[in-house]
Structure formats: structure tokens, C-alpha cells
Amino acid sequence: MMMNFGKIALVGVLTSFAIGCTDIKNTEEAATTDTEQEEPLSVIFMIGDGMGVPQVSSAFYFGEETPNFKQFTSLGLSRTSSSDYLITDSAAGATAFSIGEKTYKRAIGVTTDTVAKPTILEQLQDRGYATGLISLTAITHATPAAFYAHVPDRDMHEEIAMQLANANIDFLAGGGKKFFNKRTDGINLMDTLIAKNYHIDTVDLGKVDYKKSNAFLLAEDELPNKLKGRGDFLPDATKKALDYFDAKKKPFFMMVEGSFIDWGGHAKNDTMMIREVLDFDKTIGVVLDYVEKHPNTLVVITADHETGGVSLGKYYEMGADGKQHEVKDKIQVYFQDNQHSTELVPVFAKGKGEELFRGVYENNEIYHKFMQALNNTTHEK
């Protein structure tokens, strides 16, 4: 019997082509599935208020252990000036981070013409993110407020607290209790928070309720500084928040502020400044432990500005000869003044998207770098 080899060859080619197309389709479907299943990026933003390069450097000379700052390989520098002054305040500095625009001093969550603009926290809430804020000052203070409130002046604490009560933030820890329950308008915002399913603790950093939102408001205004016995509030609150977000099994955005580095500079108190930097560095260790176990997380650490014009220099002691002599194994903290400066401040980044934060740039660019990192992951299936 004669066979038509041309037809057989054609059938073979078509069969191979069909199998190849099936393989390509399966590969594309697998790739699509992998993309759809990629988890959104979680972000931990740490702000060392008043923390310039000299303050970071102090952790290398006054701490007993190797600083957690040393774990970073992606570093940058940020220029902190506001829209109207070369030397910014915390309100304009934090607002630049939160809305991606420079604005005027004292502004909270508004542009230069006082128009409210959605913050990164609010935008991520719209994407289904859980959110958290931790501060050592009142939770209505300039830095945390810039992530959820929109007011023309930072001292509008009662209005800021009113906005916070309706901001639906999942985890809050800090001070500022009096702006919620001792208000001039007589409104008790604690009742508002309870009605919104918050677990509230005004006594200590106690148990977290994993089925509710949590608000730990532990001081009438700010918490004590390290020299007045604050203890490990900052690292402990950060650990509790991370455990809480893990339990929620949702991507999250959290801002953690080391507030009293700035206050140490204003007081020209080197011991306070050093202790606060070391406490902040300890909190960084908690965060880096989390990032190591959760690689789909980005941590960025920076400052809103530097405070005190700090430098680290030679340490002198009076000798028996009545003259000043340098002590070779000691250094001294020097303050130029007790105000903010316009020094560039460091930016540290670790995790997915860390490379975006290398270089030298304006402070409002940090917002846009966050958005670039977030948009490089899939947010909806």
C-alpha cells in the first residue's frame, strides 16, 4: 500500500504547532496566575523626627551593640525645605511625604493654597490596605496628623482629632488623649471610636483585640521621653502592630515616628538625643526582623528635618597642667543651636523596591517613590 508522506508530514507539523500553542497558552496562563496571586506590597515608613546624619552617627559611638542602621545598603539623601521656607517644620515635612507636594510651614495634609489632597494612607485604604500610626507625641501632632488630617494649621488639635475619629485607621498608639475626651466642644470622641468598633486602652500598652480596630492613647499629650522612664513603648507598640497586621492577613501601611530625637535637639540635651536615637534604632531592629520573614514588605526610614545643627567632635578634659586635652577614645555632641536646620537628611530603604530610594532628591519625592514601588505589584485579582 502506498502512503502519502506529504500529508503525514503536514499532519505532524500541524500537531506540533498545536501542541506548541497549547504549551505557550499554558505558560501564559501560569504567568497570569502567578501575577494575579502576587500579594500587594506592605509599607512601613519610619520617621526619626529631627534625625540628621550626625544623630544617626551617634548610634555608632554611644550604643553598646552594632546599630541596626548598618543593615541597610540602599541609602539616599533628602532635601527638606518647605515651599515657603528653606528650613521646614514637621507639619510641612510630613505633608510632603504624605501627599507628594511641598507645602507651607504648619500645613497639615493641604497644598500651598490650603486645598486638601488625599494622603498616601487614605489612597491605600481605598485599595483595601490596613493602616497604622505610632507616635511618641499626641497622635494629633504634626507628623502623624499629616497622614490622615487636612487642616490649614498644625495646632488645630481638636479638629485633627475629630478627623482621626472618622479616619478608620486600624491601629493607633501614642498620646493626645485630652483632644478626644476633654474637648472644648464637650464631645467625647472616645464614644465615637467605640461606636466605630475600636478597642481603646488609655492605661497601658495592653492586649490587642484582633477582631477590632485598636487605639492606645496613653497620655494626655505626649508620652515621657526616655530620660523620664518611657521604657520600650516604641519597639513594643511596633511589634504589637505588626502582629496585628499579620493576623488581619491584609497588606498594610504603617507610619512609626521617633518623636523625641527632635525634642533632644530643641533642648540641646545630648543624653536625651542619644537615648532617643538608640530607642529608634531598637525599633528598626523589630521592623527588620519582620521584613526578613515577610519579603513582600518595604521599610523606608528618614527624617522630616534635622534639629540642633548637631555635630560629633573631639572630647576634651582638663589636665593636671590646667590645659584642655583631647581624650582619644571619646567624642562630644555639639549643638549649633536649638532649632531646625536645613541639612540634607538620610534615607534608608530595605525590601522590595528599596533601589528606588537611592540618590539625592526632594522630600516630596519619597511619596512618588512609594507609589512607584506599590504600583509595581498587583493590587487587584
Side-chain angles (χ1 to χ4, degrees):
M1 182 176 67
M2 294 183 63
M3 300 183 67
N4 190 330
F5 290 102
K7 289 184 178 181
I8 292 174
L10 179 60
V11 169
V13 169
L14 292 174
T15 302
S16 298
F17 178 75
I19 293 172
C21 287
T22 301
D23 289 341
I24 292 170
K25 182 179 180 182
N26 290 340
T27 301
E28 289 175 343
E29 287 177 350
T32 301
T33 301
D34 289 343
T35 301
E36 289 175 345
Q37 291 178 348
E38 183 182 357
E39 295 180 2
L41 182 69
S42 290
V43 172
I44 304 168
F45 188 27
M46 302 184 69
I47 300 174
D49 199 314
M51 184 185 73
V53 173
Q55 284 84 346
V56 171
S57 300
S58 72
F60 288 78
Y61 295 102
F62 294 99
E64 295 180 359
E65 300 177 357
T66 302
N68 289 299
F69 287 112
K70 196 172 182 180
Q71 296 190 47
F72 292 85
T73 56
S74 290
L75 308 176
L77 288 171
S78 167
R79 181 173 176 267
T80 63
S81 298
S82 66
S83 65
D84 56 345
Y85 282 82
L86 285 176
I87 299 177
T88 191
D89 74 335
S90 293
T95 296
F97 297 146
S98 71
I99 70 171
E101 290 185 26
K102 286 183 180 287
T103 190
Y104 62 93
K105 285 174 68 171
R106 306 190 67 82
I108 297 289
V110 297
T111 62
T112 53
D113 49 4
T114 70
V115 174
K117 187 172 181 180
T119 69
I120 184 171
L121 183 147
E122 293 168 323
Q123 290 173 288
L124 291 179
Q125 281 182 330
D126 290 341
R127 293 190 186 188
Y129 273 58
T131 54
L133 295 171
I134 299 172
S135 178
L136 301 174
T137 59
I139 204 69
T140 58
H141 209 263
T143 301
F147 289 88
Y148 63 83
H150 307 275
V151 295
D153 189 274
R154 60 184 287 171
D155 282 346
M156 299 172 67
H157 285 278
E158 290 194 354
E159 173 57 30
I160 291 169
M162 181 71 75
Q163 293 186 30
L164 178 56
N166 294 287
N168 299 316
I169 297 169
D170 299 277
F171 190 99
L172 298 166
K177 182 170 54 175
K178 69 181 183 182
F179 302 116
F180 294 82
N181 62 2
K182 296 180 180 178
R183 298 168 54 86
T184 57
D185 58 13
I187 297 173
N188 189 339
L189 290 178
M190 296 294 191
D191 294 337
T192 304
L193 291 172
I194 291 170
K196 290 181 172 291
N197 200 38
Y198 271 85
H199 162 70
I200 300 175
D201 195 329
T202 60
V203 178
D204 60 23
L205 192 64
K207 291 184 65 176
V208 174
D209 190 330
Y210 291 95
K211 295 181 180 179
K212 294 184 176 184
S213 298
N214 288 263
F216 296 93
L217 301 174
L218 305 184
E220 292 297 313
D221 205 330
E222 72 274 1
L223 278 74
N225 63 55
K226 287 294 287 186
L227 301 185
K228 294 183 178 180
R230 185 177 70 241
D232 285 335
F233 171 86
L234 196 63
D236 289 350
T238 301
K239 179 65 166 59
K240 284 179 180 288
L242 293 172
D243 290 344
Y244 173 76
F245 291 130
D246 255 3
K248 290 185 77 71
K249 300 187 183 302
K250 294 173 65 176
F252 65 89
F253 173 89
M254 177 170 69
M255 191 285 295
V256 179
E257 182 193 18
S259 318
F260 288 113
I261 301 170
D262 172 66
W263 291 37
H266 284 301
K268 300 176 74 172
N269 186 325
D270 56 347
T271 304
M272 179 181 173
M273 185 205 81
I274 291 164
R275 290 280 301 279
E276 294 294 343
V277 170
L278 292 175
D279 185 59
F280 190 63
D281 183 73
K282 184 175 182 178
T283 308
I284 292 171
V286 171
V287 169
L288 292 180
D289 286 345
Y290 182 87
V291 173
E292 185 175 353
K293 298 172 184 175
H294 302 78
N296 200 46
T297 308
L298 171 64
V299 57
V300 174
I301 302 165
T302 191
D304 45 2
H305 53 75
E306 190 274 344
T307 304
V310 171
S311 64
L312 304 182
K314 294 180 179 181
Y315 185 95
Y316 293 95
E317 288 183 348
M318 185 69 69
D321 58 0
K323 297 180 179 180
Q324 293 275 19
H325 295 272
E326 180 183 352
V327 179
K328 65 179 181 180
D329 57 354
K330 289 186 178 182
I331 61 170
Q332 178 69 50
V333 176
Y334 294 94
F335 294 93
Q336 177 179 313
D337 57 25
N338 65 349
Q339 296 299 311
H340 299 175
S341 77
T342 192
E343 294 180 12
L344 302 189
V345 297
V347 183
F348 302 83
K350 196 173 188 67
K352 187 174 290 186
E354 65 178 77
E355 67 282 352
L356 297 172
F357 294 84
R358 299 169 186 163
V360 182
Y361 39 81
E362 300 292 330
N363 56 356
N364 60 301
E365 286 301 313
I366 288 176
Y367 165 93
H368 298 286
K369 292 174 184 297
F370 273 137
M371 284 303 181
Q372 185 176 348
L374 288 160
N375 291 333
N376 284 343
T377 61
T378 302
H379 298 287
E380 295 181 354
K381 294 184 179 181

